[in-house]
Amino acid sequence: MLSASFLKRNLACIKLGILSRISYPIDFLMGIALLPLCQFAVEAAFWTGLIGVSGSSSLGGFSLAYYLGYFLWQVLPLGGINWRFERAMIAEINSGAVNALLLRPSSFYEYHLGQLLGQKIISILIMAPFMIVIAWAWDLPFHIERLPLALLMGFSYVILLFALHFAVASMAFFLDHVYSLNNTKNMIIWFLSGELLPLDLLPSPLREWVIALPFSSGVYLPAAYLSGRIELGLFLQGFVSLAIGGLFFGLLARWIWKKGLRSYSGTGA
Amino acid sequence: MNESIIKTERLDRCYTTVRKETGLLAALKGVFSKTSVVKHALLPLDLEIRRGQIVGIVGANGAGKTTLLKLLSGLIFPTSGTASVLGYTPWERPYPFLRQISLLLGQKNQLWWDIPANDSFQLLITIYDLDKSTAQKQVDRLAAQLDCRHVLHTPLRRLSLGERMKMELIGCLLHSPKILFLDEPTIGLDVVAQTNIRQFILEELKGSGVTILLTSHYMDDIALLADRLLMMSHGAVAYDGTVEHFMSLMPSTKRLLVDFLHPLQEALPITPSLKIPAGALSFDQSLSSSELLQALKLIVSQAPIKDLKIEEPDFEDVIRLFLKKEFSLHQARHPQ
């Protein structure tokens, strides 16, 4: 049951996430605005070049505008991989900074999830207007009325992905370094989410399998839904796979964490 | 005050580490076959601590002091044995238990590095579900007592080590814990900061009913604050009693300090196993009464003295002597 103190604690973690991020204003602005805009610019250049050299005005049945509309989702930091955050969790376990958190009446999970959500909220508040302005200025396919549902899927995906990150970070209790494992996981998710390329370009039946996985809710489903590449039916299937995936990764994270604590030696103290 | 608040039975902890050989070839071999080494950090321990006691835990590095604190605070699981702290099993870490304890690690920041201490305290107020105005008054009172109100709004990363430690102490005391685990709270601090922290603990906490387990390498911390001394050596308790009783157990020695006018022309044999070498300009040694007499006779008659002092041994000397003796005994028992 959600108690008042649980909610207060989580709100405080969200606030901490915002406070600690804006304590470094230059880094904050670069990370929140410049980096995603650059990412979008790189994608725009790549797909413009690719479609240009293909000698056709479309690729996989979609015009350049659809590709730009698709990658506009990258401007919001919901589907992309958050390297900084996972590294922080791993470093806290490796260095023993986790000690302080273990001895307070709150969990490491809610502490980091709250902060992550706080950072996502502030990023979206700042970047959503940029997204709308770019779509309007370049006349990209962008269904603004679909934005609330897409954001809901984006936040649900953040929670699912956090459970997976948490599971991998908890491996740091057993292994001295889990950075390579983490990078490998991120590389796989980069592909499975549709961040690398729209998943509908994959050959069948790989396409159907990959779209059925919960990772497609990170980029492909919301981006394709917002840009009009897919319709509501397929989009809503994403929530089902998110629920199943969230439960699976949540239980996995809990199991690894509990096992990790049993072998933990209280590093650094 | 006589109520038992911490009780352990056969509590022990082993650490398994991987032994890594030197060199590239050995490192490559180590990828496929690993040699594990089991180290007993804490041997089966029966311990009882009463409410309000200040227990000073002393020992060389690796003696098991911090492992004991980590077990009793719930940071780590034991290999075997049981412990009850405030009626809870600490490593289960239920929230009602965590609300009643605090662990301060002198070598680790526990407040948030990026934000001002006062923001950290606000977060702690929420985490511990404290009344906001009462807790803020507590922050102000403790900050005034520690003379650090002026840095409450400065990001932690901008503070000096001494200021940070004061903030950490406030963070630890904010929720009025019943048990305080202090692991080397004065480590790395200059003499003035050490004295301030020591004085604060003495005035604010001693006699307040808070039970404190304190480890420190500064014997002044223990001598001034502790009601009870736990001397640990090689994972076991080598002494458990008061500081005064511990001092009385040790053989009576005095420290002799001599500065010579000129380097000694030839060695002075004080005992068969102790001599002042030729060329020495000074001599500093703890000696028994008979050795002291012998040394004084020899030095006064044969060496040109610039300065001579005889000092009573302090707590630190006695501890050093005790640990040295313990180490020799351990070596004799475990030659490998």
Side-chain angles (χ1 to χ4, degrees):
Chain A
M1 204 174 114
L2 293 182
S3 67
S5 64
F6 173 84
L7 288 174
K8 270 200 311 193
R9 245 184 2 246
N10 280 275
L11 280 175
C13 291
I14 289 176
K15 195 173 143 195
L16 174 68
I18 296 171
L19 264 178
S20 55
R21 195 78 174 89
I22 57 181
S23 305
Y24 302 94
I26 307 269
D27 184 64
F28 170 67
L29 287 174
M30 298 279 277
I32 218 167
L34 201 59
L35 186 65
L37 288 175
C38 282
Q39 246 176 311
F40 174 70
V42 168
E43 295 288 358
F46 175 78
W47 291 94
T48 305
L50 194 68
I51 292 175
V53 295
S54 74
S56 161
S57 60
S58 68
L59 194 70
F62 294 102
S63 67
L64 176 64
Y66 271 95
Y67 283 93
L68 299 185
Y70 178 88
F71 284 102
L72 200 52
W73 179 251
Q74 307 272 44
V75 173
L76 300 185
L78 285 172
I81 300 150
N82 196 322
W83 302 77
R84 174 202 293 265
F85 220 85
E86 299 152 63
R87 281 181 173 269
M89 281 200 288
I90 294 169
E92 278 177 12
I93 294 173
N94 276 337
S95 69
V98 67
N99 296 348
L101 303 168
L102 288 175
L103 295 184
R104 288 182 184 138
S106 70
S107 74
F108 191 63
Y109 195 91
E110 67 184 28
Y111 168 75
H112 275 295
L113 180 59
Q115 283 191 76
L116 180 64
L117 290 176
Q119 294 186 7
K120 296 291 181 195
I121 289 167
I122 191 159
S123 307
I124 284 164
L125 287 176
I126 292 173
M127 291 313 289
F130 277 93
M131 188 190 196
I132 294 166
V133 167
I134 294 171
W136 172 76
W138 286 15
D139 196 20
L140 301 179
F142 183 78
H143 298 258
I144 194 162
E145 74 284 0
R146 295 180 175 185
L147 189 58
L149 258 187
L151 285 176
L152 180 66
M153 178 170 276
F155 270 103
S156 309
Y157 177 75
V158 167
I159 293 169
L160 168 123
L161 201 59
F162 177 78
L164 179 57
H165 292 340
F166 190 85
V168 172
S170 300
M171 303 277 289
F173 281 123
F174 312 101
L175 306 168
D176 288 341
H177 275 187
V178 290
Y179 292 107
S180 299
L181 174 68
N182 193 45
N183 293 350
T184 309
K185 175 209 72 183
N186 284 345
M187 184 58 71
I188 294 168
I189 293 176
W190 188 47
F191 168 71
L192 293 179
S193 66
E195 192 178 354
L196 175 65
L197 81 174
L199 297 178
D200 47 32
L201 294 183
L202 297 175
S204 189
L206 181 65
R207 177 176 60 223
E208 287 76 21
W209 293 345
V210 173
I211 292 175
L213 292 173
F215 303 108
S216 62
S217 304
V219 178
Y220 176 71
L221 290 178
Y225 181 59
L226 260 184
S227 59
R229 278 170 95 111
I230 59 166
E231 289 309 315
L232 186 65
L234 180 59
F235 174 75
L236 289 180
Q237 280 177 30
F239 282 107
V240 178
S241 60
L242 271 176
I244 297 168
L247 188 68
F248 174 75
F249 289 125
L251 290 173
L252 179 73
R254 186 183 155 84
W255 182 70
I256 296 177
W257 172 257
K258 292 228 162 206
K259 258 190 109 53
L261 280 183
R262 289 202 79 90
S263 65
Y264 184 49
S265 60
T267 315
Chain B
M1 288 290 255
N2 274 331
E3 179 197 347
S4 169
I5 203 168
I6 296 175
K7 197 169 180 190
T8 72
E9 278 175 25
R10 309 282 301 158
L11 185 69
D12 82 337
R13 170 74 195 212
C14 300
Y15 293 118
T16 306
T17 49
V18 175
R19 185 187 160 90
K20 292 191 175 171
E21 302 294 340
T22 314
L24 181 62
L25 196 65
L28 285 171
K29 270 188 198 165
V31 173
F32 302 101
S33 74
K34 286 187 165 60
T35 315
S36 294
V37 181
V38 177
K39 193 195 166 214
H40 245 111
L42 187 70
L43 293 163
L45 173 72
D46 293 322
L47 181 70
E48 195 168 346
I49 294 172
R50 301 196 174 281
R51 187 181 296 275
Q53 274 191 329
I54 299 187
V55 182
I57 307 174
V58 177
N61 288 329
K65 312 181 295 286
T66 305
T67 298
L68 179 60
L69 285 200
K70 286 193 267 189
L71 282 164
L72 295 179
S73 63
L75 196 57
I76 58 171
F77 280 70
T79 304
S80 65
T82 60
S84 166
V85 180
L86 291 159
Y88 297 94
T89 303
W91 43 90
E92 287 173 358
R93 287 185 289 109
Y95 285 180
F97 165 68
L98 295 177
R99 282 183 213 286
Q100 298 180 66
I101 64 153
S102 250
L103 170 70
L104 186 142
L105 302 167
Q107 308 196 55
K108 277 256 169 284
N109 291 313
Q110 299 189 81
L111 297 177
W112 288 271
W113 187 248
D114 300 321
I115 59 177
N118 211 41
D119 279 331
S120 287
F121 298 147
Q122 298 309 312
L123 186 62
L124 289 178
I125 288 170
T126 313
I127 287 175
Y128 285 97
D129 207 10
L130 305 174
D131 176 68
K132 217 168 175 176
S133 70
T134 314
Q136 189 56 53
K137 276 182 198 153
Q138 168 90 327
V139 169
D140 292 339
R141 186 181 69 78
L142 294 172
Q145 205 174 332
L146 282 162
D147 192 22
C148 58
R149 288 186 75 159
H150 58 291
V151 289
L152 279 175
H153 298 279
T154 309
L156 201 69
R157 63 178 190 272
R158 302 251 182 249
L159 302 184
S160 70
L161 187 61
E163 288 167 337
R164 277 211 302 272
M165 189 46 66
K166 288 176 180 177
M167 296 299 142
E168 295 284 351
L169 262 174
I170 296 174
C172 272
L173 296 174
L174 199 52
H175 58 288
S176 310
K178 289 185 179 152
I179 302 182
L180 196 54
F181 298 96
L182 301 176
D183 188 26
E184 302 186 30
T186 52
I187 195 163
L189 301 182
D190 63 46
V191 182
V192 177
Q194 274 181 38
T195 312
N196 287 342
I197 299 281
R198 216 172 276 144
Q199 203 57 32
F200 172 80
I201 296 172
L202 190 68
E203 287 168 9
E204 176 71 22
L205 299 169
K206 193 156 178 154
S208 67
V210 178
T211 309
I212 301 177
L213 273 78
L214 164 74
T215 77
S216 181
H217 284 293
Y218 300 114
M219 296 311 151
D220 286 350
D221 290 350
I222 308 288
L224 186 74
L225 300 170
D227 307 317
R228 179 176 167 189
L229 174 67
L230 275 188
M231 177 82 71
M232 298 201 66
S233 175
H234 300 97
V237 172
Y239 173 83
D240 182 359
T242 61
V243 173
E244 294 77 20
H245 182 247
F246 175 75
M247 296 286 282
S248 71
L249 283 179
M250 299 312 289
S252 151
T253 58
K254 288 194 167 51
R255 186 175 170 195
L256 175 64
L257 298 110
V258 188
D259 287 330
F260 303 113
L261 263 178
H262 315 292
L264 288 183
Q265 300 211 328
E266 55 187 64
L268 289 182
I270 291 170
T271 66
S273 60
L274 176 67
K275 64 177 180 181
I276 309 174
L281 257 173
S282 64
F283 177 69
D284 178 353
Q285 187 76 38
S286 287
L287 300 168
S288 66
S289 305
S290 58
E291 288 170 338
L292 182 68
L293 274 175
Q294 175 75 7
L296 280 173
K297 262 190 221 166
L298 263 171
I299 291 168
V300 169
S301 62
Q302 297 187 30
I305 298 168
K306 186 177 162 193
D307 192 18
L308 186 146
K309 271 191 283 187
I310 298 170
E311 287 182 353
E312 291 292 327
D314 60 14
F315 184 47
E316 194 155 340
D317 292 328
V318 180
I319 295 261
R320 202 180 300 125
L321 202 68
F322 184 90
L323 290 175
K324 209 168 140 187
K325 213 167 109 189
E326 271 293 314
F327 182 74
S328 316
L329 277 173
H330 184 82
Q331 292 288 88
R333 280 188 224 122
H334 308 279
Q336 292 306 309

